[in-house]
Structure formats: C-alpha cells, structure tokens
Amino acid sequence: MNLILLGPPGAGKGTQAQRLEESRRLVQLSTGDMLRAAVASGSEIGRLAKSIIEAGKLVPDDVMVEMIEQRIDAPDCADGFILDGFPRTVAQAEALDELLRLKGKRLHAVVEMAVDDGVLVERISGRFSCAACGAGYHRRFRPTAVEGVCDRCGATEFRQRPDDNEETVRTRLAAYHAQTEPLLPYYRGRGVLRTVDGMAAIDDVTAQIGTVLAALATD
Ligand code: AP5
Ligand code: MG
C-alpha cells in the first residue's frame, strides 16, 4: 500500500508514519529526514538545502523529485511506502503521478491530518528526538517512559531541530498554506483524499488512520 501523509508542520506526520512503519510492512519516506541527513553529511544537496530549511522555505522541486525518484525504487519499498513531507507543491504532485505511472505503482490514499494553526507552535517547540534511532517525542504530549532514556533503543542522547523555533515555524506554516494546501483539492479531485482529525490525541489519530486503511482494503 502506498500512502501520503499530508498536513502542516507539527501535524503529526512523522509520529504516525513511525507507527505505521512498526505496525505494517511500510517504509517511511520523510523528505525532511532525507534533507537533514544530507545537511549532516555535507553533500552538495545538503549545502544547498541548509539555509533554505533554516529559513522555513521550500527546497526546489527538481531536487525533491529526484530524491524521491531514487528512493521509491529501492527494494525495501516493494510492499509499500508512506510519503511524509512529499509532495509539497502541485508541481511535485504532478511529477509524482508521472513517476508512479512509469514505475507501474499506484497511490492508494492521501491522508490529510487536519490541525488548527494555533496548536502547532506548541507541538513543534516541545518536540525532540532520539539522537541514535530518530524516535520522536514531545515534552508534554509524548514523553519517554523513563526520563532521559529512549523507549525504542535505550540511548540517552536527544536532539532538537534547528528549524523548530517560533519564527521559522511561522514561515513554514505560511509555506504550507500557500504552496501545499492546493494539494487538497488536487487529490480530492482524484478521489484519493481521506481526512482525519489531527487535533485528537496521538492514539486516537492512529486509530482513525487504521479505520481509513481498513476501509481501503475492502474498497
Ligand atoms: P519536514 O521535516 O517535513 O517538516 P514539516 O513538514 O514542517 O513537518 P514536521 O516534521 O515539523 O511535523 P510532523 O507533521 O512530522 O509532526 P511530528 O509527528 O513530528 O520538512 C522540514 C523542511 O525540509 C521544510 O521546511 C523544507 O524546507 C524542507 N522540505 C522537506 N520536504 C520538502 C519538499 N517535499 N519540498 C520542499 N522542501 C522540503 O509531531 C510534532 C510534535 O507534536 C512531536 O513532538 C509529536 O510528539 C507531537 N504530536 C504529534 N501528534 C500529536 C497529537 N495528535 N497530539 C499532541 N501532540 C502530538
Ligand atoms: Mg516530520
């Protein structure tokens, strides 16, 4: 099954993608994570992307499409993938349609995680992740079971993203409304858009996505 999780910064795309990865044989493809790895490695793409990410703007479409094109062909994606953070513009969505057509793959659903702008700054400013395995947490909404120890791998070092500050979040939110929101009518028109209430608690959102996926299986 091939899915897109669509929603503003802090909507919970990464949180739910990690859960889907664990509960189903799907691979999370987070373009944000790929870009952050490129920045950390000091590659050409990383050098180009660093200042754009820190400003909260979007990396050019051609760079992103090439990144995804290489990734969805990898053997681990054979049983399905979850796109998290891609596509983010109509041009990226059109390129994805073409890529999937050429590779004989299908998009089963686009799950919109609807969240009001008001809660996003709090969600993002409380976020941290395990420096070793990348598991995501939140100081208030999803703390580790034992303070300072990752639930998943037991590591004790955590990190925060440099773009997770209030000013950058506002720019990221503006980019979402201007450039990414037009994907909602785009996918609605193709009959694949499903919406869940991203304001609900994390476990509730997981359950809503489960219901959406169960309905797809019987379609
Ligand atoms: P990216 O990494 O994709 O960031 P984003 O879209 O801004 O989304 P986030 O990762 O901030 O939020 P999320 O929805 O994953 O939320 P999370 O689950 O962590 O992109 C970063 C940058 O890279 C972009 O700004 C851009 O520059 C560039 N980029 C990436 N892809 C690109 C593309 N395709 N084209 C161009 N540029 C691109 O949850 C947030 C927090 O809230 C967590 O702490 C979590 O524990 C908590 N939480 C989650 N769900 C809930 C809930 N239901 N209730 C309470 N708390 C919750
Ligand atoms: Mg994310």
Side-chain angles (χ1 to χ4, degrees):
M1 186 181 280
N2 302 320
L3 304 173
I4 294 175
L5 294 183
L6 187 61
K13 305 181 294 294
T15 302
Q16 298 299 332
Q18 283 185 358
R19 288 183 168 205
L20 285 168
E21 218 176 22
E22 278 162 22
S23 63
R24 297 166 192 258
R25 287 163 52 95
L26 302 176
V27 175
Q28 175 193 15
L29 300 182
S30 160
T31 43
D33 286 349
M34 292 176 205
L35 287 168
R36 284 183 285 279
V39 171
S41 76
S43 69
E44 198 181 323
I45 290 177
R47 287 197 299 277
L48 164 93
K50 186 171 189 290
S51 58
I52 301 175
I53 296 172
E54 283 172 9
K57 299 192 171 146
L58 295 187
V59 173
D61 290 335
D62 54 338
V63 175
M64 300 315 304
V65 170
E66 201 183 319
M67 198 174 254
I68 281 296
E69 179 173 14
Q70 292 172 359
R71 195 58 191 84
I72 60 177
D73 257 348
D76 63 339
C77 291
D79 288 338
F81 52 78
I82 312 152
L83 290 171
D84 159 9
F86 182 94
R88 252 176 158 94
T89 63
V90 170
Q92 290 181 18
E94 288 169 349
L96 177 65
D97 280 347
E98 181 61 10
L99 271 181
L100 294 176
R101 193 182 65 75
L102 290 172
K103 294 176 192 299
K105 292 181 191 271
R106 168 163 112 81
L107 183 61
H108 296 81
V110 177
V111 180
E112 178 201 1
M113 308 184 61
V115 182
D116 297 343
D117 284 8
V119 306
L120 297 173
V121 172
E122 188 191 5
R123 281 201 190 173
I124 288 178
S125 50
R127 168 169 57 188
F128 62 98
S129 63
C130 173
C133 76
Y137 298 98
H138 190 281
R139 274 199 290 273
R140 180 167 158 215
F141 304 122
R142 173 65 180 93
T144 53
V146 177
E147 166 118 33
V149 181
C150 176
D151 293 359
R152 189 155 81 182
C153 76
T156 52
E157 278 198 43
F158 297 88
R159 59 163 75 109
Q160 268 197 298
R161 281 167 43 178
D163 59 341
D164 279 356
N165 59 78
E166 188 162 343
E167 192 193 340
T168 309
V169 171
R170 300 215 180 275
T171 310
R172 285 160 59 194
L173 214 42
Y176 176 78
H177 289 307
Q179 293 169 275
T180 308
E181 233 165 36
L183 296 181
L184 298 175
Y186 181 92
Y187 285 121
R188 193 174 291 120
R190 283 161 174 69
V192 288
L193 187 71
R194 304 285 183 275
T195 301
V196 299
D197 175 13
M199 298 289 286
I202 296 176
D203 287 346
D204 278 356
V205 178
T206 305
Q208 289 179 55
I209 294 175
T211 305
V212 165
L213 301 190
L216 284 180
T218 60
D219 271 355

